[in-house]
Amino acid sequence: MRTPAGDDTQGAAGGAPAGERQAQPPPDGAPLPAGSPARARAGAADAFAPALPPEAPLDMPVQSLRARPAHRLGARPSSPRGMFLRRLPVIGGAVAITALGGWEMAAALNLDRPTVLGVVLLLLFLVLFAWIALSFTSGVAGFFQLLRGGERRLGIDARAPLPVPAVRTALLMPTYNEPPERVMAGLEAIHDSLVACGRRQHFDLFVLSDTTDPDIWVAEEAAFLALRDRTGDHACLFYRRRPKNTERKAGNIADWVRRWGGAYPQMLVLDADSVMTGDSIVRLADAMARHPDVGLIQSLPVIVNGSTLFARTQQFAGRVYGPLIACGIAWWHGAEGNYWGHNAMIRTRAFAEQAGLPLLRGRKPFGGHILSHDFVEAALVRRGGWAVHMVPDLPGSYEESPPSLTDLAVRDRRWCQGNLQHAAVLPARGLHWMSRLHLLTGIGSYITAPLWLLFLVVGTLIAVQARFVRPQYFPDGPSLFPEWPVIDPVRSMWLFIATMGLLLAPKLLAYVALLLDGPMRRGCGGAVRAFLSLLLETVIAGLLAPVTMLTQSVDVAAILSGRDSGWNAQRRDDGSLPLGEVARLYWRHTAFGLGFGVAAWLVSPALALWMSPVVLGLALAVPLAALTGRRGPGLALRRLGLLLIPEERDPPPVLVRAVALRAGVAGAEAGEAVRRLADDPTLLAAHRAMLPPPRRPRLDPIDPVRLVALVKVAEAATLDEALGGLDRAGKAAALADAAGVDRLVTLARRD
């Protein structure tokens, strides 16, 4: 099969795949009329190399959740030995801790004569305590792995000489209405890093656009052309935009697999905010090629470039606690790991054979396309017999965090719906039990929020019952002694302390590991500043936790009632909002917190004291959300040496390059698309060359949006009239049609 990159014989129209051609010259070589659209498109052939390589189709069948896959591999030589002995102390330890905690809780509630509220509280406690216990035992495993220096999974050693990849790999950068300068800057930084390590010739880079905003779409095209001009590397940089973003990111990747996957044995999936070093990419590609049983390798992305207080607490937590957590789960997950949707190397054949996502039965929000696709894709790949690994020891993988609590809530709303959909995937036949555990974990990450809220409410009701409801001291029937309904306060206090200890222990273990790692310790500002940062992050996270709990509880309730989350582009940098907007979003949290606090005080001052951390976080929701979303406090703490991470003190060259490019990328800013095309003949010619093929009568479905848009454009007398009659979808549809582009550009040039 032909390798796409390195073919310098491709012309713009003649070398493009059939799906990319827009016009053919007249028969017998007749000249094209001057000024005609066909002449302009033909002229682009001399100035514009094809945006895409020739197609190399690869079948990607939709998988059934009710039948086992036909293809299954045998043994998995890459799986670590003794996985039972690894999982036993982690899972068994969590079960033992939960059983002990449940026993103490039952004794504290005096459940010898159970009440309805007492039993409900105990059941809630068992579920929530089990969640905490498993995190604790996994964290302890991660701590010992860090002390050992990691596992060097799949033979990946960042200190070894850089290998030469044996096969060609595609780097896929999906984007959806993202700032083009960010996308292209990250991609160029990756490209330059591959060039610097001398391995660029083994990789092709694809921008896979699902952008629906026509102004951003045209800006993407301009930024793509500028990227090609700056690098001079037309043979490995490609751009494709889908007219319809069916199935969102999962559909975007699947479309690439079905059209070009046959030419690339491996693919690295990125996100719009992803940056990776050439060294890490090459080592992942080499490890995949050396282990034919491996279907997916997930790296550990480090959160970077945070400037707001919220983002900097997130990146400090991820950088300090993240390796401990990741090493723990990688150790006991083994070859049954998970996939986080980006910064992961994937075997294209394994993904195509096993990861075609089905439509879920029923109506939205539970039915339809799978939103949180990554967990499901990993489960299906593993079901097909392929190993799925995480390699937390490999440096050089980076991402960014939402800049504010509000932006995190927007993202979480979509993830919440996607993870709740996993309930329909859990019964799928043939899944490995670890894959089911991953799906349960995804569901639990959001279900625990309303469970915590319910736990607090039930606990308060028990206190109300003890305060205002007359107890029945003598049971029915003969009895010599009264039965005193007693809640043991001492036991309750120690149980609370034990719970907090389990929650905080992984952070303290991560701090101990930091102290033993000289470069890490210095990168976080030294032992004292790192400890102060840990305290600061813990306080901020503790205050924000009740706000997040209430937000996620409302989200879960809304989704269960049938409200779809939608899909919006994310903000990446500044998370600040006007104070009035923040108050509008969080006044309900404040009102709930104050009401809850007053009710607790009326029941008992002691109860109010116990509830004070929750009440305080909710009551301060508005100022907390406003303050943590601003850059000023975050940058001030950075100047004081707090919440530092090594990538801030000594930033890797690839991050320095990405930030510099983001600030200086030419031609990436989004402007009005039609006027931009009319003013730039080169961009116009490239846009025309990259348009999808025209509709084939009787074969392709009719697009009503495009038909209406073309009629409106054809009947408009001025550009303002044409644009005024089109919404965003209509404008994008018109710009996706050659006739629509010609008419709009003609109107623009008349103005």
Side-chain angles (χ1 to χ4, degrees):
M1 183 171 295
R2 159 182 201 289
T3 299
D7 184 358
D8 296 327
T9 64
Q10 300 178 47
E20 300 298 318
R21 295 175 186 165
Q22 293 302 303
Q24 299 295 332
D28 302 324
L32 296 171
S36 69
R39 179 72 174 268
R41 285 191 290 274
D46 297 327
F48 177 67
L52 288 168
E55 293 192 5
L58 183 63
D59 188 30
M60 186 172 179
V62 173
Q63 299 299 307
S64 170
L65 301 180
R66 294 168 178 80
R68 291 179 179 271
H71 173 71
R72 295 184 64 84
L73 295 176
R76 299 181 308 284
S78 67
S79 179
R81 295 181 179 179
M83 289 309 303
F84 174 78
L85 296 179
R86 295 187 180 196
R87 290 166 180 165
L88 180 62
V90 174
I91 299 177
V95 171
I97 293 172
T98 302
L100 179 60
W103 178 272
E104 290 296 316
M105 187 65 172
L109 293 173
N110 191 24
L111 290 184
D112 291 338
R113 284 181 61 85
T115 64
V116 173
L117 289 178
V119 171
V120 170
L121 191 70
L122 177 62
L123 292 176
L124 289 171
F125 175 83
L126 287 173
V127 173
L128 296 170
F129 199 73
W131 183 267
I132 296 172
L134 183 60
S135 299
F136 168 74
T137 55
S138 182
V140 171
F143 174 70
F144 286 109
Q145 279 298 105
L146 286 179
L147 293 185
R148 292 181 54 211
E151 194 174 8
R152 302 290 184 268
R153 181 71 59 87
L154 301 177
I156 298 176
D157 186 352
R159 299 166 297 184
L162 191 66
V164 178
V167 299
R168 192 160 203 81
T169 302
L171 275 58
L172 310 182
M173 176 76 84
T175 179
Y176 173 78
N177 291 335
E178 297 280 354
E181 67 274 11
R182 176 183 296 276
V183 176
M184 300 303 169
L187 200 63
E188 185 172 354
I190 293 171
H191 171 275
D192 292 351
S193 185
L194 287 169
V195 171
C197 69
R199 302 292 188 270
R200 207 292 301 150
Q201 67 273 20
H202 299 281
F203 300 90
D204 286 351
L205 291 75
F206 288 78
V207 178
L208 304 180
S209 174
D210 260 1
T211 292
T212 57
D213 187 314
D215 298 332
I216 297 178
W217 168 24
V218 172
E220 284 176 356
E221 293 179 331
F224 169 69
L225 297 180
L227 172 60
R228 276 189 160 185
D229 289 342
R230 286 193 304 274
T231 61
D233 208 343
H234 293 206
C236 79
L237 295 169
F238 303 106
Y239 174 89
R240 186 274 284 134
R241 174 186 177 267
R242 287 199 302 167
K244 301 288 185 182
N245 58 334
T246 307
E247 296 185 64
R248 303 176 183 179
K249 182 178 178 179
N252 196 357
I253 299 298
D255 175 79
W256 181 89
V257 170
R258 292 185 174 109
R259 294 177 64 184
W260 293 280
Y264 299 92
Q266 301 172 175
M267 59 181 183
L268 180 78
V269 177
L270 302 162
D271 246 356
D273 60 353
S274 295
V275 175
M276 295 184 70
T277 63
D279 184 280
S280 64
I281 293 171
V282 169
R283 294 185 191 279
L284 287 173
D286 174 69
M288 177 72 74
R290 287 187 291 103
H291 295 85
D293 68 307
V294 175
L296 191 149
I297 309 174
Q298 175 67 63
S299 69
L300 175 62
V302 172
I303 299 175
V304 294
N305 294 335
S307 57
T308 66
L309 178 56
F310 181 83
R312 298 200 67 243
T313 57
Q314 293 282 301
Q315 76 177 18
F316 177 82
R319 188 64 178 91
V320 176
Y321 319 141
L324 178 139
I325 296 169
C327 283
I329 62 177
W331 182 74
W332 66 276
H333 286 180
E336 286 76 42
N338 209 351
Y339 172 39
W340 297 339
H342 57 94
N343 294 32
M345 186 69 67
I346 302 174
R347 189 177 303 277
T348 313
R349 179 168 69 90
F351 194 80
E353 287 177 354
Q354 306 298 334
L357 298 182
L359 283 174
L360 297 180
R361 293 183 177 180
R363 301 175 61 185
K364 290 183 178 181
F366 297 107
H369 300 299
I370 297 174
L371 299 182
S372 294
H373 55 91
D374 39 14
F375 280 35
V376 179
E377 288 162 344
L380 294 177
V381 167
R382 176 60 193 85
R383 182 178 75 163
W386 300 92
V388 177
H389 288 273
M390 173 185 279
V391 285
D393 303 311
L394 178 66
S397 178
Y398 308 103
E399 64 174 340
E400 296 180 3
S401 120
S404 72
L405 184 65
T406 303
D407 293 286
L408 178 69
V410 171
R411 188 188 71 177
D412 266 7
R413 177 66 171 79
R414 184 176 73 248
W415 285 8
C416 178
Q417 179 178 336
N419 284 17
L420 292 182
Q421 281 184 317
H422 292 168
V425 183
L426 273 173
R429 295 192 62 190
L431 294 184
H432 193 278
W433 69 269
M434 281 294 299
S435 298
R436 298 189 201 276
L437 183 60
H438 296 325
L439 296 174
L440 279 172
T441 302
I443 296 170
S445 61
Y446 291 97
I447 287 294
T448 50
L451 292 182
W452 275 116
L453 182 59
L454 187 58
F455 181 80
L456 294 174
V457 171
V458 173
T460 303
L461 290 176
I462 289 178
V464 170
Q465 184 183 59
R467 175 72 172 81
F468 296 107
V469 178
R470 182 183 296 276
Q472 182 179 359
Y473 294 104
F474 293 92
D476 296 334
S479 176
L480 295 176
F481 302 100
E483 294 184 358
W484 303 99
V486 176
I487 296 178
D488 189 336
V490 176
R491 232 185 193 114
S492 299
M493 181 187 68
W494 283 110
L495 194 56
F496 174 79
I497 292 173
T499 304
M500 291 298 101
L502 291 178
L503 280 171
L504 297 177
K507 294 188 177 188
L508 295 176
L509 291 176
Y511 177 70
V512 172
L514 176 148
L515 293 178
L516 299 175
D517 185 338
M520 181 71 175
R521 182 180 66 251
R522 291 186 292 272
C524 292
V528 175
R529 284 193 175 93
F531 185 72
L532 293 175
S533 299
L534 184 147
L535 292 179
L536 179 62
E537 185 277 331
T538 300
V539 170
I540 293 174
L543 289 172
L544 293 178
V547 183
T548 302
M549 173 192 69
L550 188 56
T551 300
Q552 291 183 347
S553 298
V554 172
D555 288 344
V556 170
I559 291 167
L560 292 177
S561 67
R563 289 175 53 192
D564 187 25
S565 65
W567 192 34
N568 299 311
Q570 299 179 33
R571 292 196 302 172
R572 302 284 186 184
D573 295 311
D574 188 9
S576 61
L577 289 171
L579 187 58
E581 179 68 11
V582 177
R584 184 187 67 82
L585 292 171
Y586 293 99
W587 71 266
R588 296 175 183 83
H589 298 72
T590 300
F592 181 84
L594 293 175
F596 196 69
V598 170
W601 179 266
L602 292 176
V603 173
S604 165
L607 177 63
L609 183 63
W610 279 99
M611 296 296 182
S612 59
V614 175
V615 171
L616 186 62
L618 290 171
L620 297 177
V622 172
L624 281 173
L627 181 67
T628 57
R630 297 186 180 276
R631 290 181 175 180
L635 297 178
L637 289 172
R638 179 178 178 177
R639 289 191 293 269
L640 292 174
L642 297 177
L643 298 177
L644 282 178
I645 62 172
E647 286 74 16
E648 286 181 309
R649 290 179 63 93
D650 185 19
V654 70
L655 291 181
V656 175
R657 179 67 172 154
V659 172
L661 287 168
R662 190 185 305 172
V665 168
E669 301 79 8
E672 203 290 309
V674 178
R675 290 184 172 86
R676 187 167 191 170
L677 290 171
D679 293 339
D680 188 339
T682 302
L683 177 60
L684 176 61
H687 177 81
R688 283 169 167 155
M690 290 189 285
L691 287 177
R695 177 181 174 272
R696 298 168 298 176
R698 298 186 179 182
L699 295 178
D700 297 329
I702 296 174
D703 184 353
V705 175
R706 177 179 288 196
L707 289 179
V708 172
L710 292 178
V711 170
K712 289 182 177 180
V713 168
E715 293 181 351
T718 65
L719 180 62
D720 289 341
E721 180 185 348
L723 297 180
L726 299 174
D727 59 10
R728 191 170 79 172
K731 182 178 176 181
L735 287 175
D737 185 273
V741 172
D742 293 340
R743 177 61 178 167
L744 287 170
V745 169
T746 299
L747 292 174
R749 288 174 174 170
R750 286 179 183 173
D751 291 351

